[in-house]
């Protein structure tokens, strides 16, 4: 113990000062993140031992404490070096792959801008990344070569672009000038507009400078404006003509409607209706005007037909009797479609009722009413038949489809897992190559080799499981739809 030692004044003073300096240094070293600076502080203390008068026990006590802290710092430095080497190796393979990809894109991609942005992105990976100096220099040199090659390609493309643009501009300008001349002299407005649209499409797809494209686009747009103005003038002219024709035809059509409602001269009215129908068809009426007059003509035809039918002595009576008789059949067919399970016989019965409509005399509304109800009977029957067969097959197919979906999901997950296993295996093999080339750490190499064997076995096992599941899926599909065989 210190109190048992006999020291002279100088040795005691030196011991206390050196001990205090060592403890302060150790405290400071424990807080430093820069291990080399920490080691330098310990070396400074170590220098203080030289030539200093101390008792042997005091010197050994302080020196051993100093060496303990040297050992701690050296271990941390060694750990930091190993971590750096491992991280640098991973960074090397990652950046190398990106540099390889960038080099490939330079010589194979058609999008120079996209490739340039990718090179910039790869260049940014170097910033702050831990790498061995020779690795950094090699990869960065390759990337710079890719930049140079891409610049040469872009220069060549720019020259080719300019040459192609000059040639395209000459051809397109001639086409645009001819198109404008055609527009200025033709009466075929639709044809002129189509020609301008084709020129616009050709301009959109052609290689041109911005100035060339803007110049030709402006010319085409001016021609469009001219054609649209002529179209407006033509529309105004047609509108005036259609108004005149409408004012002439409308009173005639309305007069015939009145005659059809009152006159018994059905033959004369029908002939005049056909003449007006032809006149409207050949006229220049607007769509709304044409539709209005044709609707009135159709209404006139219907009224004429109904009055002619009604004029027959027995028409009303026969139509009423036909309605009652056919209505009873339709009611019976509708009831049968709703309740019976004899689907085939019911369908034949409904078809037989449907055939009774042909040639039978009936009032139009009553015919439509019964025919609509008969169609409802067909729809009800079809729905019931569909539901019958669908329900019968549905439950079994749903179970099978659910099983297929589950199996397919399981296969997808296994394949995704295999891809991850292969990536992990590749990293392990790369790590093993690094360890082999370094000639160090046989224990670590053995561990990596064991993990590689285990990873390969796991991949093979998952592949076998995928084969089993795919065979199971095919068996299920064959059962669901045997016709596919």
């Amino acid at each position: 113990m210190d109190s048992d030692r006999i020291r002279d004044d100088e040795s005691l003073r030196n011991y206390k000062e050196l001990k205090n300096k060592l403890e302060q240094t150790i405290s400071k070293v424990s807080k430093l993140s820069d291990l080399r600076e920490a080691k330098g502080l310990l070396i400074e203390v170590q220098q203080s031992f030289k030539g200093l008068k101390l008792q042997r026990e005091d010197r050994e006590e302080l020196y051993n404490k100093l060496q303990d802290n040297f050992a701690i710092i050296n271990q941390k430095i060694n750990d930091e070096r190993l971590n750096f080497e491992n991280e640098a190796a991973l960074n090397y393979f990652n950046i190398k792959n990106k540099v390889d990809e960038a080099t490939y894109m330079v010589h194979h991609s058609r999008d120079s801008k996209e490739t340039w942005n990718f090179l910039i992105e790869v260049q940014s990976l170097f910033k702050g990344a831990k790498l061995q100096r020779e690795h950094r220099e090699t990869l960065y040199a390759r990337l710079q070569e890719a930049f140079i090659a891409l610049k040469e390609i872009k220069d060549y493309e720019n020259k080719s672009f300019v040459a192609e643009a000059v040639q395209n501009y000459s051809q397109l300008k001639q086409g645009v000038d001819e198109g404008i001349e055609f527009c200025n002299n033709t009466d075929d407005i639709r044809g002129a507009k189509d020609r301008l649209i084709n020129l616009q499409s050709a301009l959109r797809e052609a290689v041109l400078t911005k100035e060339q494209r803007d110049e030709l686009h402006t010319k085409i747009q001016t021609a469009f404006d001219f054609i649209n103005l002529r179209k407006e003038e033509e529309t105004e002219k047609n509108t005036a003509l259609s108004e005149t024709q409408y004012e002439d035809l409308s009173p005639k059509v309305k007069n015939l409607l009145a005659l059809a409602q009152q006159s018994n001269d059905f033959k004369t009215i029908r002939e005049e209706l056909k003449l007006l129908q032809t006149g409207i068809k050949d006229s220049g009426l607007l769509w709304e005007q044409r539709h209005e007059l044709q609707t009135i003509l159709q209404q006139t035809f219907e009224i004429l037909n109904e009055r002619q039918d009604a004029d027959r002595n027995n028409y009303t009576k026969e139509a009423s009797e036909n309605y009652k008789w056919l209505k009873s059949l339709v009611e019976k067919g509708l009831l049968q479609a709703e309740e019976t399970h004899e689907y085939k016989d019911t369908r034949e019965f409904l078809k037989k009722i449907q055939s009774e409509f042909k040639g039978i005399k009936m009032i139009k509304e009553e015919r439509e009413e019964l025919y609509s109800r008969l169609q409802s009977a067909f729809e009800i029957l079809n729905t019931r038949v569909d539901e019958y067969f669908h329900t019968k097959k549905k439950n079994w197919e749903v179970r099978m489809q659910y099983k297929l979906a589950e199996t397919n999901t399981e296969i997808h997950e296994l394949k995704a897992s295999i891809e991850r296993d292969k990536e992990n295996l590749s990293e392990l093999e790369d790590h093993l190559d690094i360890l082999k080339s370094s000639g160090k750490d046989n224990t670590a190499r053995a561990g990596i080799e064991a993990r590689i064997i285990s990873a390969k076995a796991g991949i093979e096992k998952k592949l076998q499981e995928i084969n089993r599941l795919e065979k199971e899926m095919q068996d299920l599909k064959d059962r669901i739809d045997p016709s596919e065989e």
Side-chain angles (χ1 to χ4, degrees), residues 9-23:
D9 291 342
E10 184 181 358
S11 295
L12 179 60
R13 183 176 64 256
N14 290 342
Y15 170 73
K16 290 180 178 180
E17 290 176 354
L18 187 57
K19 181 179 180 182
N20 183 56
K21 182 177 181 180
L22 177 60
E23 288 175 348

Side-chain angles (χ1 to χ4, degrees), residues 242-243 245-247 249-254 257 280 283 285-300:
S242 67
E243 195 64 37
Q245 292 176 337
Y246 176 75
E247 291 174 357
L249 291 169
S250 179
K252 296 178 181 179
V253 170
K254 292 177 181 177
L257 175 61
I280 292 172
S283 71
L285 293 174
L286 299 179
W287 184 89
E288 297 82 359
Q289 296 167 334
R290 188 186 305 275
H291 180 69
E292 175 193 337
L293 298 183
Q294 285 177 338
T295 300
I296 296 175
L297 283 183
Q298 185 60 36
Q299 184 182 357
T300 304

Side-chain angles (χ1 to χ4, degrees), residues 40-187:
L41 292 176
L42 292 178
I43 290 173
E44 288 181 9
V45 175
Q46 190 179 45
Q47 296 297 325
S48 301
F49 279 82
K50 293 180 181 180
L52 192 66
K53 184 178 180 181
L54 289 168
Q55 284 197 357
R56 189 177 62 145
E57 293 84 354
D58 293 340
R59 182 180 296 275
E60 288 178 355
E61 173 197 340
L62 298 180
Y63 197 78
N64 287 339
K65 192 170 185 179
L66 175 65
Q67 292 306 311
D68 289 343
N69 280 273
F70 264 121
I72 292 171
I73 292 299
N74 287 334
Q75 183 61 46
K76 288 183 178 180
I77 291 174
N78 188 53
D79 291 344
E80 188 179 77
R81 179 183 59 78
L82 289 175
N83 289 336
F84 173 83
E85 289 177 355
N86 289 335
E87 186 176 349
L90 291 175
N91 289 339
Y92 171 73
F93 286 114
N94 178 46
I95 297 177
K96 180 180 180 297
N97 288 336
K98 293 293 185 180
V99 171
D100 290 342
E101 185 178 352
T103 302
Y104 180 86
M105 285 182 66
V106 166
H107 298 288
H108 295 87
S109 174
R110 294 183 179 181
D111 191 338
S112 299
K113 184 177 181 181
E114 179 186 3
T115 304
W116 183 268
N117 290 337
F118 185 72
L119 291 178
I120 296 296
E121 180 184 335
V122 175
Q123 190 177 49
S124 68
L125 296 177
F126 284 86
K127 187 176 181 180
K130 293 179 180 178
L131 287 167
Q132 298 288 355
R133 181 178 178 182
E134 58 274 16
H135 287 167
R136 181 185 295 275
E137 291 175 351
T138 300
L139 294 179
Y140 201 79
R142 287 186 60 202
L143 183 62
Q144 294 309 305
E145 290 174 1
F147 269 114
I148 294 170
L150 182 58
K151 289 177 181 177
E152 292 174 353
I153 291 172
K154 288 179 70 175
D155 289 342
Y156 174 78
E157 288 177 348
N158 287 336
K159 292 177 181 178
S160 299
F161 174 86
V162 171
E164 185 177 355
V166 169
Q167 182 178 359
N168 290 341
Y169 172 74
S170 177
Q171 294 174 351
L172 280 172
K173 184 176 184 300
Q174 181 180 350
V176 169
D177 291 342
E178 291 174 355
I180 291 173
E181 183 178 356
F182 176 79
C183 293
N184 290 337
N185 296 286
T186 186
D187 292 328

